[in-house]
Amino acid sequence: MNIIQNKTRPIFPFTAIVGQEEMKLALILNVIDPKIGGVMIMGDRGTGKSTTIRAIADLLPEIEVVSEDMFNSHVSDYDLMSDSIKQKVANSLNISTEFIKVPMIDLPLGATEDRLCGTIDIEKALNEGIKTFEPGLLAKANRGILYVDEVNLLDDHLVDILLDSAASGWNTVEREGISVRHPARFVLVGSGNPEEGELRPQLLDRFGMHAEIRTVKDPSLRVKIVEQRTKFDQDPYSCLEEFQNEQKKLKDRIILAQQHLNHVTIDYDLKVKISRICGILDVDGLRGDIVTNRAAKAFAAYQNKDEVDVIDIKQVITLCLRHRLRKDPLDTIDSGAKVSQVVNEVLC
């Protein structure tokens, strides 16, 4: 009788992914600073969108959570703590913790609002006076990554809920006057194929970044990608071992950047130039300005710098602004040429 080893299913190493630098950078920056607001990845089928997203989640260090807590509550950060844990802290009760992998939650296309937000057992609440909450995907995604494949095919109402939770960091469920609120701080990653339609401009604007990926045309690069994937499929554990050092280096670099982020500064003149670029490009609202400032600081922290410079802004600004230029739902998203032209004029 064969004994199946209790091993987790191996994930393709992030550092083994060839090309798609724009997508990889957007994911890394959102992991360094989740307040950037997530990333929308649009590109051809079969370009490794799902593989890359799962790989970044697998790369991240484990997080400490309160044991047997359905919301992955933080033991000391109030913004990442459920009400029941806050009460225990207030009453000085003993709280046990454990380390888990960063949650990576998939939202299926056919998901309902209850599946996403969670449900309250009204009958139990009315008859027994007990508030029973069945957590949804937003609860499970707290302090992790929530991935929506084909987000452009998702019901607009669910997209609104997702984006509201991602922006506020909280999810509130109300039924018959009974309310449950819990932390829902996650990196929202959406992906889709432009051929199947774009998101409405109003919804697209709510994503912090927009990365475009295309099928690799260079034959030698295509061969390299195929060989890398074949090697992993044949012997995943030796492939993981091969990239072990690179994975550790990148993980350490991300942790360092997360710790260093609050110490990074951006000069007032550069902030003015970012806002000037947004003004020239006729970007609606101030999300573009805010996200570009955040992303530039995250990139500077990733480079282990104390201050943002022009190079940092140039590296991230197209990712932050290109999807905010589309006013008409029938227009296509700018490839970045328009943003680059204005950036080169202002940040010369």
Side-chain angles (χ1 to χ4, degrees), residues 62-116:
E62 291 187 336
I63 56 170
E64 187 179 14
V65 301
V66 175
S67 301
E68 297 178 11
D69 178 76
M70 62 179 76
F71 308 112
N72 303 322
S73 289
H74 197 285
V75 71
S76 58
D77 187 339
Y78 259 53
D79 286 340
L80 300 171
M81 201 182 283
S82 65
D83 290 341
S84 61
I85 302 303
K86 284 179 184 173
Q87 208 166 359
K88 285 184 179 180
V89 171
N91 295 331
S92 303
L93 296 174
N94 188 42
I95 297 171
S96 61
T97 63
E98 60 182 318
F99 282 87
I100 63 165
K101 286 190 78 64
V102 168
M104 165 71 195
I105 306 299
D106 282 281
L107 176 65
L109 267 181
T112 61
E113 185 179 338
D114 284 348
R115 179 85 180 95
L116 179 63

Side-chain angles (χ1 to χ4, degrees), residues 71-304:
F71 308 112
N72 303 322
S73 289
H74 197 285
V75 71
S76 58
D77 187 339
Y78 259 53
D79 286 340
L80 300 171
M81 201 182 283
S82 65
D83 290 341
S84 61
I85 302 303
K86 284 179 184 173
Q87 208 166 359
K88 285 184 179 180
V89 171
N91 295 331
S92 303
L93 296 174
N94 188 42
I95 297 171
S96 61
T97 63
E98 60 182 318
F99 282 87
I100 63 165
K101 286 190 78 64
V102 168
M104 165 71 195
I105 306 299
D106 282 281
L107 176 65
L109 267 181
T112 61
E113 185 179 338
D114 284 348
R115 179 85 180 95
L116 179 63
C117 300
T119 55
I120 298 169
D121 190 331
I122 298 297
E123 196 176 329
K124 207 166 189 178
L126 294 175
N127 295 338
E128 301 174 34
I130 301 168
K131 194 189 285 186
T132 307
F133 180 65
E134 182 64 37
L137 296 176
L138 290 177
K140 293 173 182 174
N142 187 37
R143 302 176 66 197
I145 294 172
L146 182 59
Y147 173 47
V148 191
D149 193 13
E150 307 294 358
V151 68
N152 43 338
L153 301 180
L154 195 67
D155 182 75
D156 277 356
H157 174 58
L158 290 185
V159 177
D160 271 329
I161 293 170
L162 271 177
L163 292 167
D164 283 340
S165 296
S168 67
W170 290 89
N171 173 45
T172 304
V173 182
E174 291 182 345
R175 298 285 185 276
E176 310 293 335
I178 298 164
S179 173
V180 172
R181 182 171 176 263
H182 69 78
R185 187 78 57 83
F186 51 84
V187 175
L188 178 63
V189 182
S191 71
N193 185 342
E195 292 172 8
E196 289 159 350
E198 295 277 8
L199 277 177
R200 287 190 285 117
Q202 302 93 311
L203 293 177
L204 200 53
D205 175 62
R206 304 271 294 278
F207 279 90
M209 291 179 150
H210 183 283
E212 275 190 356
I213 53 176
R214 291 281 171 260
T215 304
V216 175
K217 303 295 182 190
D218 183 89
S220 58
L221 209 53
R222 288 174 77 113
V223 169
K224 190 176 179 184
I225 293 167
V226 171
E227 285 180 342
Q228 199 76 275
R229 185 73 222 190
T230 305
K231 193 193 298 182
F232 178 79
D233 290 340
Q234 286 174 347
D235 190 352
Y237 294 104
S238 69
C239 185
L240 290 172
E241 200 173 321
E242 182 187 338
F243 286 92
Q244 191 175 357
N245 289 337
E246 286 182 54
Q247 290 280 97
K248 187 181 184 309
K249 278 180 195 170
L250 182 55
K251 183 189 285 188
D252 291 344
R253 192 177 171 189
I254 289 171
I255 294 168
L256 196 65
Q258 288 171 332
Q259 294 167 346
H260 188 55
L261 182 64
N262 289 334
H263 304 291
V264 177
T265 59
I266 180 166
D267 189 73
Y268 178 77
D269 287 343
L270 286 179
K271 289 180 183 178
V272 171
K273 285 181 177 178
I274 288 169
S275 291
R276 190 176 159 210
I277 291 165
C278 292
I280 294 169
L281 289 168
D282 194 24
V283 174
D284 290 336
L286 293 172
R287 279 202 189 100
D289 309 52
I290 293 166
V291 170
T292 304
N293 277 273
R294 281 196 176 281
K297 288 176 78 172
F299 187 77
Y302 184 53
Q303 304 300 316
N304 198 23

